[in-house]
Amino acid sequence: MTRSSSQLTAEAIDRFWNDASAHDNTMLELVAISANDGIWGWEVDSGRSYYSRRWWELIGEEPDQMEPHIDNFFALLHPDDRERVLDAQTRFISGEAQEYRVEFRLRHRQGGWRWILSRGSAVRDPHGKAIRLAGTHTDITDRVDASERLERLIAERTKELVAARDRAELAAAATSKFLSATSHDVRQPLQAMALLLGSLQDEQLSAAGQRTLEGVHRSLIASMELLDDLLEFSRLEAGALRPSVGPVNLGDLMQSVVDSFAIQARQKGVHLIVRPTRLKGRSDAQLIGRIIRNLASNSLKFTASGKILIAARSRGPNIRIEVWDSGVGIQPELQRQIFWEFVQDGRTSDVNSSGLGLGLAIVERLSRLLGHRIGLRSEPGRGSVFWVEIPKMASEPAHQGSHGGLGLKMPGLPAGCRIALIENDAEIGEAFLKLLRGWGARVVWARSGESMLSQLANEAPDLVIADWHLDGEIDGFEAFDRLEDRFGYRLPGVILTGDHDVERIKKANRQMRRVLHKPILPDILNAVLQTELRDAP
């Protein structure tokens, strides 16, 4: 009972009541019969009402079976709607509300309820109080039923989506756990192989034997890269990677990438350089490092000679990290496909290059995960430049772990250097012993943290190398903590792990120790240990 779309004028309402009181409402009946809505009228003081034939049809009643009075109207109202309708009428009659519009349910003679939309107009006295009302009732039952069905459908669908999300999260967690276990199991023999190869560096080999050793070394590096690509891509596919965004020192990060590829580039005759920078960005240090390494690896693969430059420059609120090469370049029609998974375009300049075509696909997936833009420019025969943009970090301090150099020739450790090696895998432990002793170190080896504490007694080691997951009650991080508590100062060293779950490592690594991921090449391990000794207090 608010304002109708075909609002009755005050004069028309007056004529209606005059005609109704004189029982001469033929004209009104003609209008009412032709209308699809039920028409009603109400004299406020007396409660006397008028309802058109269509109105009676809405509730399945006959006009002569019920007195047209406001009290009978309220008797037909659903109990839950009466207070709301009465409040709407009271506010409209008093003039507090400027229009009358309310939805409610009326009881049907054959059972059930019909939803009604009521709209009306009023004739008011000089004080603004309504004395007569008239309007329409529209049956909206079908609309309300459809709306309720839609709400039920949405609720059911939402429930299904929540269940699907929960299943996906459980599947992602299970996949992440599986990948972590798989990563550890596969990396262990590779780690032993890398250490054993490293221990052969000082052996007297023939020229043919040296070439064979270098070939095995290259094959090992390729195997490690393939494993990294597969596991990284699998984690991305499973949604098991969760970025940990913070400040990143780009100068240190880019230099670590150059260091890791230095020997490989020198063997190819490629000059690999980094442009120094003090720029600091905001990203996940590990993941953006992976992006830059994949771009550098891609450029090195397709550059037979010349230069590769890694540089960063400011672009407004962002920093663009670029990898330039003088390689074979990319045909224009292939430049969109180059970031697709398993795409190998046959442009390699290196007959020994191999892979699954996942390197740049991982770059694309990681960039999307981090919200970073990537792109490339390339001209066939003249080289390419790949880039990634990250937000700039203007003043917040950044830190970035160091990565050792790569190569077959490694310097020895200081004479008499005493190393505490905590490793529960017998094959890897034996390989470590041979390698570290070949570098001139004295090694105390234990398979658990408790055993190491017992063996060392009160003689502090110069370095600690501890696997994260050990036999016994405590892990590598805790063993490190207890050794430092015993000797009263921070010990140099590293934690080794095949686990790549960043969040789990961060929770375990409360003292921010240097963490290296298996398999770690001997030359990188050597460089890191040299750095740890040099930086020790």
Side-chain angles (χ1 to χ4, degrees), residues 352-425:
N352 294 317
S353 293
S354 61
L356 297 174
L358 289 177
L360 292 181
I362 290 172
V363 167
E364 192 276 334
R365 297 289 184 93
L366 289 177
S367 299
R368 195 189 326 155
L369 181 67
L370 293 166
H372 299 338
R373 292 178 61 234
I374 60 172
L376 73 95
R377 299 190 306 275
S378 184
E379 185 176 343
R382 296 180 63 87
S384 305
V385 53
F386 288 82
W387 55 264
V388 57
E389 280 189 353
I390 68 173
K392 186 183 297 181
M393 178 66 68
S395 58
E396 189 173 350
H399 59 273
Q400 175 63 38
S402 173
H403 299 260
L406 186 68
L408 289 174
K409 298 300 180 182
M410 292 160 277
L413 295 171
C417 178
R418 190 164 185 255
I419 296 179
L421 171 66
I422 316 176
E423 171 59 65
N424 63 339
D425 186 286

Side-chain angles (χ1 to χ4, degrees), residues 13-26:
I13 296 174
D14 278 331
R15 283 197 300 274
F16 154 64
W17 284 108
N18 291 333
D19 289 343
S21 61
H23 306 288
D24 184 14
N25 46 9
T26 305

Side-chain angles (χ1 to χ4, degrees), residues 195-203 408-417 419 421 429-443 465 522 525-526 529-530:
L195 297 173
L196 290 171
L197 282 175
S199 67
L200 291 175
Q201 69 162 353
D202 294 326
E203 297 290 337
L408 289 174
K409 298 300 180 182
M410 292 160 277
L413 295 171
C417 178
I419 296 179
L421 171 66
E430 292 289 349
F432 261 122
L433 282 177
K434 188 173 183 180
L435 178 70
L436 295 172
R437 287 170 178 169
W439 291 346
R442 294 185 297 130
V443 183
I465 301 174
L525 176 65
N526 182 280
L529 295 182
Q530 300 281 3

Side-chain angles (χ1 to χ4, degrees), residues 41 70 93 104 143 150 195 275 312 331 373 421 521-522:
I70 191 64
I93 290 171
F104 49 80
R143 189 194 76 186
L150 180 60
L195 297 173
R275 181 179 295 163
Q331 297 293 333
R373 292 178 61 234
L421 171 66
L521 290 171

Side-chain angles (χ1 to χ4, degrees), residues 247-310:
V248 180
N249 188 322
L250 292 177
D252 290 349
L253 182 62
M254 294 190 303
Q255 185 61 54
S256 73
V257 172
V258 170
D259 291 344
S260 66
F261 288 108
I263 300 300
Q264 188 178 350
R266 189 157 57 245
Q267 290 173 345
K268 289 191 67 174
V270 174
H271 188 35
L272 178 60
I273 55 177
V274 61
R275 181 179 295 163
T277 181
R278 294 184 178 180
L279 289 173
K280 294 176 176 62
R282 186 167 182 81
S283 184
D284 181 301
Q286 181 176 339
L287 299 185
I288 191 63
R290 176 68 188 217
I291 289 173
I292 300 171
R293 281 192 292 275
N294 278 22
L295 293 178
S297 175
N298 179 77
S299 288
L300 189 56
K301 182 182 296 185
F302 298 111
T303 303
S305 61
K307 295 181 180 179
I308 295 176
L309 169 68
I310 303 177

Side-chain angles (χ1 to χ4, degrees), residues 74-340:
F74 272 96
L76 294 171
L77 265 175
H78 192 288
D80 294 344
D81 298 337
R82 289 173 185 169
E83 184 176 348
R84 178 162 44 83
V85 172
L86 181 60
D87 178 70
Q89 289 178 349
T90 302
R91 295 175 67 248
F92 183 64
I93 290 171
S94 68
E96 181 182 350
Q98 297 301 309
E99 64 176 9
Y100 181 80
R101 178 188 177 96
V102 64
E103 295 180 4
F104 49 80
R105 287 160 287 183
L106 289 179
R107 186 176 64 246
H108 195 276
R109 182 179 182 181
Q110 295 180 357
W113 302 89
R114 306 298 295 179
W115 273 98
I116 302 296
L117 168 62
S118 180
R119 294 173 290 193
S121 298
V123 175
R124 301 183 181 275
D125 63 18
H127 302 289
K129 181 181 178 181
I131 55 176
R132 295 168 185 159
L133 284 74
T136 60
H137 279 177
T138 305
D139 189 338
I140 59 170
T141 305
D142 291 344
R143 189 194 76 186
V144 172
D145 288 346
S147 176
E148 290 177 347
R149 286 195 299 271
L150 180 60
E151 288 181 4
R152 287 195 298 272
L153 181 63
I154 291 174
E156 292 171 0
R157 183 58 177 159
T158 300
K159 186 177 180 180
E160 292 173 0
L161 290 173
V162 169
R165 181 204 63 194
D166 292 343
R167 289 194 299 271
E169 289 178 351
L170 287 173
T175 301
S176 180
K177 186 176 181 180
F178 169 77
L179 290 171
S180 178
T182 302
S183 174
H184 179 270
D185 292 345
V186 174
R187 289 174 190 276
Q188 290 292 85
L190 287 177
Q191 180 65 83
M193 185 188 303
L195 297 173
L196 290 171
L197 282 175
S199 67
L200 291 175
Q201 69 162 353
D202 294 326
E203 297 290 337
Q204 297 298 320
L205 300 175
S206 65
Q210 186 64 40
R211 287 194 297 271
T212 300
L213 178 62
E214 292 175 359
V216 173
H217 187 264
R218 286 195 298 270
S219 296
L220 176 62
I221 292 175
S223 298
M224 292 165 59
E225 289 177 349
L226 285 174
L227 175 63
D228 284 343
D229 283 348
L230 282 170
L231 291 174
E232 192 88 348
F233 191 76
S234 297
R235 282 193 292 268
L236 286 165
E237 284 286 283
L241 278 181
R242 296 290 184 269
S244 177
V245 176
V248 180
N249 188 322
L250 292 177
D252 290 349
L253 182 62
M254 294 190 303
Q255 185 61 54
S256 73
V257 172
V258 170
D259 291 344
S260 66
F261 288 108
I263 300 300
Q264 188 178 350
R266 189 157 57 245
Q267 290 173 345
K268 289 191 67 174
V270 174
H271 188 35
L272 178 60
I273 55 177
V274 61
R275 181 179 295 163
T277 181
R278 294 184 178 180
L279 289 173
K280 294 176 176 62
R282 186 167 182 81
S283 184
D284 181 301
Q286 181 176 339
L287 299 185
I288 191 63
R290 176 68 188 217
I291 289 173
I292 300 171
R293 281 192 292 275
N294 278 22
L295 293 178
S297 175
N298 179 77
S299 288
L300 189 56
K301 182 182 296 185
F302 298 111
T303 303
S305 61
K307 295 181 180 179
I308 295 176
L309 169 68
I310 303 177
R313 57 193 179 97
S314 179
R315 287 176 59 90
N318 297 320
I319 299 170
R320 177 170 286 191
I321 306 163
E322 299 173 331
V323 179
W324 296 71
D325 68 58
S326 57
V328 296
I330 307 167
Q331 297 293 333
E333 63 272 15
L334 296 175
Q335 291 182 16
R336 286 191 60 192
Q337 303 173 19
I338 202 71
F339 290 103
W340 298 353

